Amino acid sequence: MLRMEILGSTFDDSVFSEARDRVPVTLTGYSAKRCEAQWFCESAALQTEDALEKQKVLKFRGDLAVRRGDYQTALDSYSSCLEWIADNNLTIRRDVLEGMARCCTKLGQRDRALDLANSLSKEASNTCHLTSVLLLKAGIYQHFGHIRSRMWCLQQLCNLLPFNPWHWFSLGRMSAQLLEVHTSAEQEKAAELSEDRTWLKACACLIRTRLLLRILRQQQSSFVLQRSENTLKASDEALRRLNPPESTLQALTEVMSEDLIPEKMREDFQDGESLASVCVQSFRERWWDKILLTGGGEDRQALRT
């Protein structure tokens, strides 16, 4: 039989043979299992010795309860589900633990929610896992009003996935919102430097958001493109309110665009990589020191005028 070699790959010419020359394959009959809607809610659904079946029933009950806003019932179902998850079924285990953490958050159980999130952190083995944990923690901190802790999570996300505009937008928007929080008279002097740095960080993050969205929208269409356009407008509006002088705007744009090279962006794509192979600098090392250097360590008046 003749063989073809294309770019080092080898193919049998049978791939290109006429249909009549190919050996027919007979498919055996298949009957799909049919279930009634919400079959898992029936009491008989748990009357089985099959651990996998019990896991499914309890997981589905928890998911349905979350959808209905009954978080205590969902938490109880998820907790029971954990007992029936096989040791090697890490995906379902992570899903259930995250569901429990979100339920605890809704129920005001902050410490338990964070304990569950920390358990997930210890079990994280790749960047997808770590991203999910950081987003989970950011949501918990937001719910309980822990602003600084949420900012730390967002900074970690920007470090881990530096070409994701949505994390930069969240961090920039949150930094801008912090500027609207009024401090008491006693705290005003101590908070001034912090406010200046928060303003600078907000500007830098929103500029980074704009740069990334302008690159990505060239490859987008439909509702994905619309989302990018809406976020781009929101970033522009937020920057307009911050009102950075043109010199600061240009300097920050230069710093935040240094690594936005197509080849580098492809090489640094880390989504799904093993954490053992990922080396991530701290936000201060990778971004903040450069941002401060751009600001020149000057006071607010010099930076903003």
Side-chain angles (χ1 to χ4, degrees):
M1 182 178 293
L2 295 175
R3 304 178 71 84
M4 297 178 62
E5 293 187 4
I6 302 176
L7 297 178
S9 299
T10 305
F11 298 90
D12 288 337
D13 61 354
S14 60
V15 174
F16 308 101
S17 63
E18 294 293 332
R20 64 176 179 272
D21 297 329
R22 298 179 186 173
V23 178
V25 177
T26 304
L27 298 177
T28 59
Y30 171 74
S31 298
K33 181 179 178 180
R34 299 183 64 181
C35 299
E36 297 295 328
Q38 298 183 17
W39 58 273
F40 48 85
C41 293
E42 299 175 5
S43 57
L46 279 177
Q47 296 177 4
T48 175
E49 297 301 320
D50 189 331
L52 180 58
E53 194 69 14
K54 286 187 177 182
Q55 171 211 294
K56 290 179 181 179
V57 169
L58 292 167
K59 172 69 164 56
F60 292 159
R61 287 182 179 182
D63 293 344
L64 180 61
V66 168
R67 186 173 181 180
R68 291 174 172 173
D70 187 352
Y71 299 109
Q72 185 59 61
T73 297
L75 181 59
D76 294 340
S77 295
Y78 287 145
S79 298
S80 298
C81 179
L82 274 180
E83 302 175 14
W84 300 100
I85 300 176
D87 293 339
N88 62 347
N89 198 343
L90 300 181
T91 300
I92 293 298
R93 174 179 165 79
R94 293 186 63 83
D95 194 23
V96 170
L97 286 174
E98 182 173 341
M100 291 174 66
R102 295 190 184 282
C103 288
C104 288
T105 301
K106 293 291 186 179
L107 294 169
Q109 301 175 17
R110 181 195 61 184
D111 292 343
R112 189 180 180 191
L114 288 174
D115 284 344
L116 289 163
N118 288 330
S119 296
L120 286 168
S121 294
K122 295 175 183 178
E123 297 177 6
S125 61
N126 58 50
T127 54
C128 288
H129 292 168
L130 185 54
T131 298
S132 296
V133 172
L134 289 170
L135 287 170
L136 174 62
K137 285 186 175 181
I140 295 172
Y141 289 132
Q142 181 180 23
H143 182 85
F144 292 103
H146 299 328
I147 298 175
R148 296 297 176 183
S149 295
R150 180 170 182 251
M151 286 192 71
W152 180 86
C153 289
L154 292 174
Q155 288 178 177
Q156 292 294 95
L157 285 166
C158 289
N159 282 339
L160 188 64
L161 300 172
F163 305 124
N164 184 309
W166 317 113
H167 301 325
W168 285 101
F169 179 64
S170 295
L171 181 57
R173 184 172 55 181
M174 188 174 184
S175 299
Q177 290 172 347
L178 273 178
L179 296 172
E180 300 173 3
V181 178
H182 298 288
T183 59
S184 63
E186 309 86 64
Q187 297 173 318
E188 185 173 352
K189 184 176 181 180
E192 186 172 337
L193 178 59
S194 177
E195 182 181 342
D196 290 339
R197 293 188 172 189
T198 300
W199 173 84
L200 193 60
K201 183 181 293 183
C203 291
C205 291
L206 291 169
I207 288 170
R208 175 82 171 182
T209 300
R210 293 198 312 180
L211 291 167
L212 287 167
L213 287 174
R214 286 170 179 170
I215 294 173
L216 293 176
R217 68 177 179 177
Q218 300 174 15
Q219 309 167 15
Q220 297 173 335
S221 61
S222 187
F223 65 92
V224 178
L225 177 59
Q226 186 60 53
R227 181 192 180 195
S228 294
E229 294 290 352
N230 292 339
T231 305
L232 193 55
K233 291 178 182 178
S235 299
D236 288 340
E237 177 59 25
L239 267 176
R240 186 191 63 78
R241 290 195 298 270
L242 291 170
N243 194 29
E246 187 61 31
S247 58
T248 301
L249 189 63
Q250 291 179 356
L252 287 175
T253 298
E254 183 177 344
V255 168
M256 302 309 286
S257 63
E258 284 180 351
D259 62 333
L260 299 186
I261 304 168
E263 292 74 15
K264 182 175 177 58
M265 292 174 71
R266 284 193 292 270
E267 291 173 1
D268 285 357
F269 185 73
Q270 299 175 343
D271 192 23
E273 286 189 23
S274 168
L275 293 181
S277 63
V278 175
C279 180
V280 180
Q281 291 177 292
S282 70
F283 190 85
R284 171 172 289 279
E285 291 175 334
R286 186 165 185 178
W287 306 105
W288 188 227
D289 288 344
K290 292 181 180 179
I291 294 171
L292 285 177
L293 185 62
T294 300
E298 302 168 358
D299 58 22
R300 182 190 315 180
Q301 186 66 21
L303 283 170
R304 302 192 185 186
T305 59

